[in-house]
């Protein structure tokens, strides 16, 4: 028997949002709206499994939106939200959970603290929902004219996730199937269950209209943390007729010696990206002692570092590589290198800088014994999402 399962309901077509693409699949700073709340429940220590209820016509969109997440398979919803929830609950019977949290996919910014308050309230109550007290004065109007001032005393705005003891909410949904109620708590109330109100969060907004979507975007834009990392690498010249520099093959009088393809530029860059997210260095991810990396093409290392950034909801905003050598001349190859790096990382070439310099014939690079490279990477991480470190 599972303790607590989460059901994220995103089967609607979003009539008030407009457009072809359902709002839960819209891209919000690099992730689908739906993905945010799924990640929040997956990250919560007291939630055992997470399942989405979707419109099965959107299965491809869903698969793309949730790539890499360890979710239960989605189930298909029904014509109305209430049908979707009931079908979702029935799909969970086989897990016999003690508790279930029912959440709207259109609320991307649910936080762990609110989830905890709901789960805790279920220790003493059959049901619990997050709410925010109404602060505005309420008016009833007709044809643009006020007919009444309504007391706001004791009024709350209901949010999700709404939490329930599973057998009770399943029974309520089955009993009241077909009756149109706007949230799951209303079914629990109709069934005579006591529903606890706990503190919600103003950030836990619902994306219903295009205006809401714009607000969600600016909310996230104000929640970015910038990180910087640096990298440095050296490889020695050896016999050969070409070198790999920043992913570009350049004919040369020598080659570069190294365990992989010895691309000193991509190695420095990979270390810079890993440094920005405090994820060690290239050697800790791809040990030289491991023979599988012998002769490896260095774009593999760079792409891995980028995958780690994206797994945390981050994005690369600027890269700068300086190649330090007397020869070959970097200038003629600079744009090809920038283009190759942008291609490997799937970012705009305008975010990639490559420069060359010499050391005025001083030192090992001046004596043409090898090439050095240094790099810096600037990365934006979301701070209001679940994967923090
Ligand atoms: Mg190296």
């Amino acid at each position: 028997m599972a303790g607590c399962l989460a059901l994220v309901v995103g089967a609607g077509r979003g009539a008030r949002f407009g457009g072809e693409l359902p709002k839960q699949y819209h891209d919000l700073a690099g992730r689908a709206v739906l993905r945010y709340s799924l990640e929040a429940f997956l990250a919560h220590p007291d939630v055992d499994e997470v399942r989405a209820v979707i419109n099965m016509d959107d299965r491809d969109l869903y698969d793309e939106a949730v790539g890499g997440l360890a979710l239960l398979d989605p189930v298909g919803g029904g014509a109305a939200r209430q049908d979707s929830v009931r079908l979702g609950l029935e799909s969970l019977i086989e897990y016999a959970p003690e508790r279930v949290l029912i959440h709207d996919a259109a609320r991307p910014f649910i936080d762990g603290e609110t989830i905890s308050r709901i789960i805790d309230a279920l220790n003493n109550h059959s049901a619990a929902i997050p709410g925010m007290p109404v602060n505005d004065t309420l008016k009833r109007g007709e044809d643009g004219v006020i007919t009444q001032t309504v007391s706001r005393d004791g009024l709350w705005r209901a949010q999700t996730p709404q939490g329930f003891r599973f057998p009770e909410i399943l029974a309520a949904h089955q009993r009241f199937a077909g009756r149109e109620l706007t949230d799951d708590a209303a079914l629990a109330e109709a069934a005579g269950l006591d529903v606890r109100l706990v503190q919600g969060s103003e950030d836990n907004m619902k994306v219903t209209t295009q205006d809401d979507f714009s607000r969600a975007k600016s909310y996230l834009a104000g929640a970015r943390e910038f990180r910087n990392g640096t990298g440095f690498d050296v490889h020695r010249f050896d016999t050969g007729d070409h070198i790999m520099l920043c992913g570009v093959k350049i004919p040369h009088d020598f080659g570069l010696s190294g365990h992989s393809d010895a691309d000193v530029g991509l190695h420095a860059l990979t270390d810079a990206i890993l440094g920005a997210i405090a994820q060690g260095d290239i050697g800790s991810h791809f040990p030289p002692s491991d023979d599988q990396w012998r002769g490896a093409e260095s774009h593999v290392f760079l792409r891995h570092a980028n995958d780690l950034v994206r797994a945390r909801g981050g994005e690369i905003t600027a890269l700068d590589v300086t190649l330090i050598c007397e020869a070959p001349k970097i200038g003629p190859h600079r744009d090809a290198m920038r283009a190759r790096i942008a291609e490997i990382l799937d970012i705009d070439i305008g975010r990639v800088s490559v420069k060359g310099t010499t050391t005025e014939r001083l030192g090992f690079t001046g004596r043409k014994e090898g090439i050095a490279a240094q790099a810096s990477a600037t990365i934006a991480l979301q701070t209001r999402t679940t994967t923090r470190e």
Side-chain angles (χ1 to χ4, degrees), residues 232-235 260 262-264 267-268 282:
F232 181 77
D233 196 31
V234 171
H235 281 262
S260 63
D263 189 328
V264 65
H267 292 182
I282 196 169

Side-chain angles (χ1 to χ4, degrees), residues 198-240:
V198 306
Q199 177 73 36
S201 158
E202 208 58 74
D203 293 341
N204 186 21
M205 59 175 286
K206 188 171 183 180
V207 178
T208 302
T209 63
Q210 291 283 349
D211 276 353
D212 297 333
F213 191 67
S214 298
R215 273 202 297 139
K217 277 205 260 192
S218 32
Y219 169 84
L220 282 178
R224 297 221 296 183
E225 171 187 320
F226 287 88
R227 301 272 192 96
N228 189 253
T230 65
F232 181 77
D233 196 31
V234 171
H235 281 262
R236 178 192 294 273
F237 280 125
D238 202 347
T239 52

Side-chain angles (χ1 to χ4, degrees), residues 68-143:
L69 299 184
L71 299 160
L72 298 178
D73 284 341
V75 293
R81 181 185 181 283
Q82 201 173 321
D83 304 317
S84 296
V85 175
R86 191 187 69 254
L87 292 166
L89 290 171
E90 287 171 347
S91 80
L92 297 178
I93 292 174
E94 62 174 306
Y95 300 97
E98 186 185 343
R99 298 160 182 196
V100 64
L101 306 178
I102 304 170
H103 184 69
D104 282 337
R107 291 187 189 271
F109 306 135
I110 179 61
D111 59 287
E113 291 78 12
T114 303
I115 295 172
S116 293
R117 283 194 290 275
I118 296 296
I119 293 175
D120 290 349
L122 293 177
N123 289 331
N124 299 311
H125 303 272
S126 294
I129 75 164
M132 294 300 291
V134 173
N135 294 323
D136 295 332
T137 298
L138 296 178
K139 304 288 186 189
R140 192 178 305 275
E142 223 177 87
D143 301 328

